[in-house]
Amino acid sequence: MTEFWLISAPGEKNCQQTWDKMNTATAQTNLSTNHKFNIPELKVGTLDILVGLSDELAKLDSFVESVVRKVAQYMADVLEDSRDKVQENLLANGVDLVTYVTRFHWDMAKYPIKQSLKNISEIMSKQVSQIDNDLKARASAYNSLKGNLQSLERKNVGSLLTRSLADIVKKEDFVLDSEYLITLLVVVPKTSYPDWEKTYETLSEMVVPRSTKLLFEDQDSGLFSVTLFRKAIDDFKHKARENKFMVRDFQYNEEEMKADKEEMTRLSTDKKKQFVCVQLSKFDSLLNIIKSSTMPWALIINFSEAFIAWIHIKALRVFTESVLRYGLPVNFQAMLLQPNRRNMKKLREVLQDLYKHLDSSGTVIDASMDIPGLNLSQQEYYPYVYYKIDCNLLDFK
């Protein structure tokens, strides 16, 4: 199960005692697998700042999660022919998501703890906004290429009335470079083959006898060639249409057909390369992972950076809410629980019993209530600080 509950409770005599008490109540009864979630000593600031920051972090959390999921989905789009490989490319700092979350350590280089909480949140916001903007630009270019490629691919399939004939006809099927003669291509329904054979020579004057040849057929129709004098083209087309034989508007041009094939190859190649990033200097830690992966580099990097920022935002939210709930000096233990799916209801009951003394009502508060500094619009309120982390980012049907 890839769902985690990130909670915090106030330190009792010490934080280790808080951890031991929770772990004993849950892990030993197989309700959850638990990990300490290490949050460094951050700058607290004033109460007013914390209250305002709490609301801002809730919005930032939602935004960053949406970007993480968006990047993951684009990774799935890029690997459209092998989506089973997507999960192995969903990495954070070179490790799988569960490992990253359960072994979380604050990244001091990215988010210096000497900065204020607000400044740290702004760094995260700018970073993920840039990832989102880059992804939108890349996705737009990718979707444009994909659309152009699909348009070309559609020309190579479908009805003989509309599909490209470049991969069907050959040079020897045509009379070329003649001042007087021309070869036309005619689509004939299969049920009309006998009629075509009987009538094509008489549809107009100047049709070369025995010049027709079946070049290709699909489930419904056949593509026939026929040679006639150029001056009879219009009359032949008119009479053919009256007999439900459709003359394709096609002239054999080897250079144009070669150019079409090269364009499809180019678009296919560009589609695969669209997300490739060549600036790897600041992501050396991911280089070996990237080199061994079939996933375009930029997506691996963007996903990793966005996911790392998202978990740090969760840490910021836990810190901020814990200070608002439990007061100063800072004294709480953050804990990561991986619930046993079958026992989630029981786990919630055990936690409620364990921490109901932290809230005077001792009950779950309706999420519609507006309590300053406690953002409840997205979730229920419990006596303990609680945030859900769902690492299941893709929903394949």
Side-chain angles (χ1 to χ4, degrees):
M1 187 172 176
T2 56
E3 178 179 317
F4 294 90
W5 296 357
L6 180 56
I7 72 170
S8 81
E12 299 186 19
K13 292 182 179 178
N14 54 62
C15 289
Q16 182 62 40
Q17 188 174 356
T18 302
W19 162 259
D20 291 339
K21 189 174 181 179
M22 186 281 299
N23 200 40
T24 300
T26 60
Q28 292 184 2
T29 53
N30 198 32
L31 297 179
S32 62
T33 303
N34 306 324
H35 308 267
K36 285 186 177 180
F37 193 84
N38 298 309
I39 302 175
E41 293 185 16
L42 302 171
K43 286 190 173 182
V44 175
T46 65
L47 180 62
D48 287 345
I49 290 176
L50 286 179
V51 170
L53 187 62
S54 175
D55 294 332
E56 291 174 12
L57 286 174
K59 296 173 184 176
L60 183 59
D61 187 352
S62 179
F63 166 67
V64 175
E65 180 179 0
S66 73
V67 173
V68 169
R69 293 184 179 278
K70 195 186 303 181
V71 179
Q73 189 56 54
Y74 274 115
M75 292 172 81
D77 291 345
V78 170
L79 286 181
E80 53 192 8
D81 296 327
S82 50
R83 288 194 165 192
D84 56 319
K85 294 183 179 179
V86 177
Q87 202 65 42
E88 67 189 48
N89 286 283
L90 295 180
L91 304 173
N93 218 21
V95 299
D96 66 85
L97 306 186
V98 170
T99 299
Y100 180 81
V101 172
T102 55
R103 299 179 183 176
F104 174 78
H105 288 284
W106 187 274
D107 192 324
M108 301 290 185
K110 280 190 178 75
Y111 313 115
I113 60 174
K114 290 184 179 180
Q115 300 263 11
S116 68
L117 295 177
K118 187 169 182 61
N119 284 351
I120 293 173
S121 69
E122 288 175 352
I123 291 172
M124 295 173 178
S125 178
K126 288 178 182 177
Q127 177 194 15
V128 178
S129 294
Q130 184 61 52
I131 290 173
D132 189 40
N133 291 334
D134 288 348
L135 187 65
K136 287 177 182 176
R138 290 180 181 276
S140 176
Y142 177 82
N143 289 332
S144 177
L145 283 170
K146 188 176 179 180
N148 291 338
L149 182 59
Q150 287 175 339
S151 179
L152 282 176
E153 288 172 342
R154 279 194 295 270
K155 291 181 180 179
N156 289 327
V157 295
S159 169
L160 282 171
L161 293 170
T162 57
R163 66 165 291 173
S164 171
L165 303 178
D167 60 339
I168 293 176
V169 299
K170 302 174 183 177
K171 187 175 182 180
E172 52 265 30
D173 296 327
F174 296 84
V175 174
L176 300 173
D177 303 322
S178 170
E179 185 178 349
Y180 302 104
L181 295 175
I182 187 171
T183 299
L184 299 181
L185 299 178
V186 185
V187 179
V188 180
K190 279 189 172 182
T191 55
S192 301
Y193 280 9
D195 292 340
W196 169 256
E197 294 287 353
K198 290 177 184 177
T199 62
Y200 81 90
E201 293 180 2
T202 59
L203 288 176
S204 73
E205 297 180 349
M206 300 184 181
V207 176
V208 177
R210 300 181 181 180
S211 63
T212 193
K213 180 182 177 183
L214 177 61
L215 304 180
F216 182 85
E217 60 182 350
D218 58 20
Q219 292 181 344
D220 303 313
S221 308
L223 184 71
F224 287 83
S225 64
V226 60
T227 302
L228 60 151
F229 280 78
R230 290 181 181 272
K231 63 172 65 177
I233 290 177
D234 290 341
D235 189 35
F236 183 88
K237 285 183 176 179
H238 177 71
K239 293 291 179 60
R241 190 161 49 250
E242 287 182 349
N243 287 272
K244 298 183 179 179
F245 307 141
M246 303 305 298
V247 179
R248 285 290 304 266
D249 185 13
F250 180 86
Q251 289 185 339
Y252 185 86
N253 187 313
E254 206 161 15
E255 290 185 0
E256 285 186 5
M257 290 192 298
K258 182 180 178 182
D260 285 345
K261 290 179 180 178
E262 289 176 349
E263 176 69 1
M264 181 171 289
T265 301
R266 182 189 67 79
L267 287 173
S268 181
T269 302
D270 287 352
K271 178 186 168 189
K272 292 176 182 177
K273 289 182 177 179
Q274 182 60 41
F275 286 108
V276 174
C277 175
V278 295
Q279 296 179 341
L280 292 172
S281 57
K282 61 179 180 178
F283 301 110
D284 290 337
S285 62
L286 290 176
L287 191 54
N288 291 331
I289 297 292
I290 291 167
K291 282 181 177 179
S292 62
S293 175
T294 57
M295 177 65 63
W297 298 342
L299 283 181
I300 292 178
I301 294 168
N302 284 346
F303 178 82
S304 177
E305 295 298 296
F307 188 85
I308 289 170
W310 185 38
I311 302 306
H312 279 76
I313 289 167
K314 294 290 188 185
L316 269 188
R317 293 193 73 185
V318 169
F319 182 88
T320 302
E321 296 300 320
S322 296
V323 173
L324 286 171
R325 296 268 197 103
Y326 312 140
L328 294 172
V330 176
N331 182 31
F332 67 90
Q333 177 64 54
M335 298 163 283
L336 188 72
L337 286 65
Q338 189 172 9
N340 183 322
R341 184 182 294 275
R342 297 178 180 179
N343 298 323
M344 292 178 74
K345 183 178 180 181
K346 178 63 176 176
L347 175 60
R348 190 66 79 184
E349 292 172 353
V350 168
L351 292 176
Q352 184 70 23
D353 287 340
L354 199 59
Y355 299 121
K356 61 185 177 183
H357 65 279
L358 298 177
D359 185 83
S360 57
S361 65
T363 60
V364 176
I365 296 177
D366 190 330
S368 63
M369 294 179 63
D370 185 17
I371 302 177
L374 297 177
N375 189 286
L376 305 178
S377 59
Q378 306 271 322
Q379 62 181 54
E380 292 178 311
Y381 169 84
Y382 298 98
Y384 49 92
V385 172
Y386 160 78
Y387 297 106
K388 185 173 80 169
I389 300 174
D390 189 357
C391 293
N392 183 23
L393 302 172
L394 295 169
D395 183 20
F396 292 149
K397 296 181 180 179

